[in-house]
Amino acid sequence: MARRRPHGGIATRGGNRFAHRPANRRSFFHRAEAMLRRDRAVGQPFCLLALDLDYFKAINDSAGHAAGDAVLRAAAERLVAQLRAQDLPGRIGGEEFAVALPGTDLAEGARVAERLRAVLSTVPLPPAVGRARLSASLGIASAGPQDQNLEDLLRRADAALYAAKRGGRDQAQEAV
């Protein structure tokens, strides 16, 4: 059995199917929606992070798709390593990820987002890219009465992510 630490990663991830890679889009939405319903039923908080790797197209354009794929794999591995066994990371688009954080309030979700942003900056980039480090923009949303389902929550997390991009990228923003 895994030793769990509050959003500080996990010593071993045991039987977690997503121990080394994020879920695909379909699996993520199915499982995250169930997590959201479960947490609501028992009165627990629930946070959702939307994450986008900044300027990722430039990596593919300057270093090639194989290099871009290697950067994506390294980013996904670092992302997953920072999460608890009960958290659910998912790759929902090309360089877009989402993370379901059951039992997590907005303040703790913001701490997780900042830790993920910092760890992603350690992903090495190919020299052809012309910049030293990877960066990510994140949006954080905590489930509230206005969210009828996961799609509503993701819409708010996405809006916060785009606010982070408009604000200069390489940062996390909370949804309003």
Side-chain angles (χ1 to χ4, degrees):
M1 174 157 280
R3 286 184 300 129
R4 293 185 177 135
R5 297 177 289 183
H7 289 294
I10 193 158
T12 60
R13 294 181 66 86
N16 184 348
R17 178 173 165 216
F18 302 103
H20 303 293
R21 62 186 172 92
N24 65 34
R25 181 181 179 85
R26 182 177 177 191
S27 177
F28 175 80
F29 279 97
H30 177 75
R31 294 187 64 209
E33 183 73 48
M35 293 168 124
L36 174 60
R37 281 194 309 269
R38 184 188 64 230
D39 277 9
R40 280 199 159 149
V42 297
Q44 290 292 311
F46 184 92
C47 248
L48 185 68
L49 306 181
L51 182 154
D52 188 74
L53 302 178
D54 296 329
Y55 304 111
F56 188 78
K57 184 179 182 317
I59 296 170
N60 280 337
D61 289 350
S62 61
H65 289 278
D69 289 348
V71 168
L72 273 175
R73 279 191 302 277
E77 287 169 4
R78 283 177 172 81
L79 177 97
V80 170
Q82 293 298 309
L83 299 173
R84 304 171 301 177
Q86 66 264 35
D87 298 334
L88 178 65
R91 184 171 171 203
I92 60 171
E95 69 279 1
E96 299 170 24
F97 296 85
V99 181
L101 303 171
T104 303
D105 64 18
L106 187 61
E108 182 63 19
R111 286 189 287 276
V112 173
E114 183 53 34
R115 192 175 64 251
L116 295 177
R117 190 201 60 75
V119 79
L120 288 171
S121 74
T122 68
V123 172
L125 295 179
V129 173
R131 58 188 166 105
R133 65 182 190 85
L134 185 65
S135 65
S137 299
L138 294 95
I140 310 142
S142 181
Q146 72 273 37
D147 303 307
Q148 298 300 308
N149 52 39
L150 189 71
E151 291 263 339
D152 291 345
L153 189 57
L154 181 59
R155 203 172 354 270
R156 292 192 314 110
D158 263 343
L161 180 146
Y162 286 106
K165 287 192 172 289
R166 283 190 305 276
R169 301 182 192 251
D170 195 24
Q171 60 182 295
Q173 291 283 327
E174 295 177 9
V176 290

